[in-house]
Amino acid sequence: MAVERGTQDDSHPRLAPGVRLHFDKARDGWVLLAPERVIEAEGPAHEILRRCDGKRSVADIVDELATLYVEDRAVIEGDVVAMLAELVAKRLILNGP
Amino acid sequence: MTQPLGLLAELTHRCPLACPYCSNPLVLESRTDELDTATWSRVFQEAAAMGVLQVHLSGGEPAARRDLREIVAAARDAGLYTNLITSAIGLDAVRLAGLQKAGLDHVQLSIQDIDAGSADRIAGYGGAHVRKLAFARHVVQLGLALTVNTVIHRANIGNTPALVALAAELGAGRIEVAHAQYHGWALRNRDALMPTAEQVFRAMEQVEPLRAAYSDRLVIDLVVPDYYASQPKPCMGGWARRSLNVTPAGRVLPCHAAETIPGLEFWSVRDRDLAEIWSQSPAFQAFRGTEWMREPCRSCDRREIDFGGCRCQALAIAGDAREADPACALSPYHARMQDLARPVQHDAPLTYAYRGRPAA
Ligand code: SF4
Ligand code: SF4
């Protein structure tokens, strides 16, 4: 079992077992599929989620998105941490050390 | 018209268990009528093309099908999120690992109670409970996602917290605490299954504290009991709006119990494409949207929220599938529904009619 912890710069988020990112051809968009749940994951949400591979740290993900969106790192960091915290609370993302 | 998100694939009605709350019909479809692997594979492709994202492989016991691995592979090949709903009987660690290789996403395991004696009595199958516990450990060891499903009724309602604790101990990520719904065999066994009002209220009060206590480990999803409710559930998210069922023989139903409604015409995947059935089959059209409604639903501002509740329950209790779900306090049949729960207050013996077996 991974050590459970809050979303911090050096935590390594990954999709929980049974959760996967899927391109929905019929609706032409990305979704997160989980037990009895379908969650839209377009745009920035998709860019964050596809980097939740257990290898990248939160800091890595923030760096990459700041480059991708040419945006202030602090702004991106706020968005990334907020989204990950919400998904951790829903048990869709796990935070590894 | 909305696109469906979920497909319930009832692979077989065969099941070694005989749960008295089973929502399968009293007359079960036989093995010789079951769809073959190639037909299921075609159904999954058609489902995905029309927007279905998740398939629930169900039954009966899906493991009773020897081609389960091929069926899982076909579902994943179609791009569907593949959920296996199982009792664990007939699935050992080796077979399970094969399903994982074929692309299985998630396992939902039924658990009947906290101790083997009571659990096996409910399931009507000696030795089921210990096998389920062993199976749950295999699921978690393989790194597969596990949901425990527990149907709540009079024999186990006092054990809700202990059932949640058991699910957490087994390593499940989610538990469904599903108060029994009275269709099929469950309707037949209603008097033996129905808890008292006090039992229901106590069990409901326990849920929020349990959610808080387990928030770091377990998602708790609750299916609320209808007979003590004042507002109905949006059955299936509304008739013909979000999901569809295919029976073992290939008939396509808007909901699991739809065949109890007289006069509905069901089409089969043997004869037609799933998209055509979804959009044009008389059974799907019958209660789609709000046009079919009578009062009190017709002018109610919740009609697009709960879609008048469950058609099958309206039929079973109000005698007509066009009525409001009697779980609704605005239904003229609401008192009748409450009366049906009352006589069971509550020394009626726990004698079940088990499916597939002579009544005790
Ligand atoms: S509810 Fe019980 S008897 Fe019915 S299909 Fe499920 S496991 Fe089998
Ligand atoms: S009257 Fe009909 S639409 Fe209104 S709450 Fe009751 S069941 Fe729902």
Side-chain angles (χ1 to χ4, degrees):
Chain A
M1 265 242 118
V3 183
E4 289 304 327
R5 43 194 272 156
T7 302
Q8 301 155 10
D9 261 16
D10 63 343
S11 54
H12 292 69
R14 63 187 152 84
L15 300 185
V19 179
R20 73 182 159 86
L21 210 49
H22 173 78
F23 186 74
D24 178 358
K25 282 189 219 127
R27 296 171 192 80
D28 194 28
W30 287 92
V31 287
L32 197 61
L33 299 177
E36 303 289 337
R37 280 170 181 69
V38 176
I39 298 147
E40 264 184 57
E42 269 303 288
H46 173 239
E47 293 299 339
I48 296 171
L49 286 166
R50 72 185 191 84
R51 289 173 169 82
C52 293
D53 54 9
K55 296 186 190 98
R56 291 171 167 91
S57 67
V58 173
D60 296 336
I61 297 174
V62 172
D63 286 342
E64 290 181 28
L65 264 82
T67 310
L68 183 71
Y69 288 107
V70 202
E71 175 60 273
D72 189 43
R73 198 181 183 283
V75 175
I76 296 279
E77 181 169 29
D79 292 350
V80 170
V81 169
M83 190 185 117
L84 290 178
E86 193 190 321
L87 293 174
V88 167
K90 290 185 181 149
R91 315 286 307 144
L92 297 168
I93 292 272
L94 302 179
N95 265 328
Chain B
M1 195 179 303
T2 53
Q3 287 172 313
L5 290 165
L7 168 69
L8 186 77
E10 296 174 17
L11 300 180
T12 177
H13 276 158
R14 289 175 284 146
C15 182
L17 268 51
C19 310
Y21 53 73
C22 184
S23 58
N24 278 337
L26 300 183
V27 180
L28 302 170
E29 292 173 1
S30 78
R31 174 181 201 156
T32 45
D33 290 335
E34 289 176 6
L35 298 179
D36 62 11
T37 327
T39 308
W40 277 116
S41 173
R42 191 196 87 218
V43 168
F44 297 150
Q45 296 287 343
E46 291 172 355
M50 64 193 282
V52 169
L53 294 171
Q54 300 192 323
V55 62
H56 308 282
L57 303 176
S58 167
E61 173 48 59
R65 293 221 25 163
R66 255 174 275 155
D67 57 353
L68 183 58
R69 185 182 168 146
E70 289 73 28
I71 288 175
V72 167
R76 267 310 288 268
D77 184 54
L80 299 172
Y81 183 94
T82 306
N83 175 26
L84 178 70
I85 300 179
T86 181
S87 69
I89 308 303
L91 274 181
D92 58 17
V94 174
R95 212 171 162 211
L96 181 65
L99 299 182
Q100 184 182 32
K101 280 207 191 72
L104 187 66
D105 284 295
H106 176 261
V107 176
Q108 178 179 316
L109 169 68
S110 62
I111 290 194
Q112 278 68 16
D113 205 345
I114 47 169
D115 68 279
S118 167
D120 291 351
R121 192 180 117 68
I122 294 167
Y125 190 95
H129 190 68
V130 289
R131 292 212 221 171
K132 284 164 184 271
L133 300 186
F135 175 80
R137 299 204 164 94
H138 294 318
V139 173
V140 174
Q141 267 161 20
L142 285 169
L144 278 164
L146 174 68
T147 287
V148 166
N149 171 282
T150 160
V151 175
I152 301 294
H153 49 92
R154 193 153 100 239
N156 64 8
I157 191 166
N159 297 335
T160 310
L163 282 160
V164 172
L166 175 60
E169 183 208 313
L170 290 171
R174 181 169 165 271
I175 181 170
E176 287 181 359
V177 177
H179 284 256
Q181 300 192 272
Y182 297 98
H183 304 297
W185 286 92
L187 186 59
R188 172 93 170 262
N189 282 305
R190 185 172 57 197
D191 285 358
L193 294 170
M194 184 74 70
T196 64
E198 301 81 73
Q199 286 175 320
V200 165
F201 295 137
R202 198 175 322 125
M204 298 293 280
E205 275 170 14
Q206 291 167 337
V207 173
E208 277 317 313
L210 285 167
R211 278 194 177 130
Y214 288 92
S215 64
D216 62 336
R217 272 168 291 172
L218 200 58
V219 173
I220 302 177
D221 281 337
L222 178 69
V223 177
V224 299
D226 277 327
Y227 276 64
Y228 297 105
S230 56
Q231 283 187 333
K233 291 197 277 286
C235 185
M236 309 291 289
W239 186 274
R241 281 189 79 246
R242 304 181 58 145
S243 55
L244 64 175
N245 276 32
V246 178
T247 73
R251 275 197 303 278
V252 188
L253 317 180
C255 98
H256 195 63
E259 285 175 300
T260 60
I261 300 176
L264 288 187
E265 181 189 332
F266 301 100
W267 288 357
S268 169
V269 297
R270 291 187 199 273
D271 310 321
R272 292 177 226 251
D273 177 274
L274 205 57
E276 183 192 350
I277 299 176
W278 174 257
S279 63
Q280 288 167 50
S281 136
F284 280 77
Q285 293 294 59
F287 304 110
R288 183 174 258 138
T290 55
E291 273 306 298
W292 57 272
M293 287 180 175
R294 299 172 173 169
E295 295 298 348
C297 298
R298 182 167 270 280
S299 58
C300 178
D301 57 12
R302 283 181 56 84
R303 68 182 181 278
E304 302 267 2
I305 298 170
D306 63 34
F307 299 92
C310 173
R311 299 303 85 230
C312 307
Q313 194 147 269
L315 174 79
I317 291 164
D320 190 327
R322 281 172 199 281
E323 291 292 331
D325 186 335
C328 178
L330 299 174
S331 158
Y333 301 93
H334 187 60
R336 182 187 291 180
M337 181 149 170
Q338 291 177 313
D339 286 344
L340 285 169
R342 207 159 288 142
V344 211
Q345 306 273 352
H346 250 277
D347 23 31
L350 286 171
T351 311
Y352 304 131
Y354 291 106
R355 41 173 256 172
R357 305 185 193 173

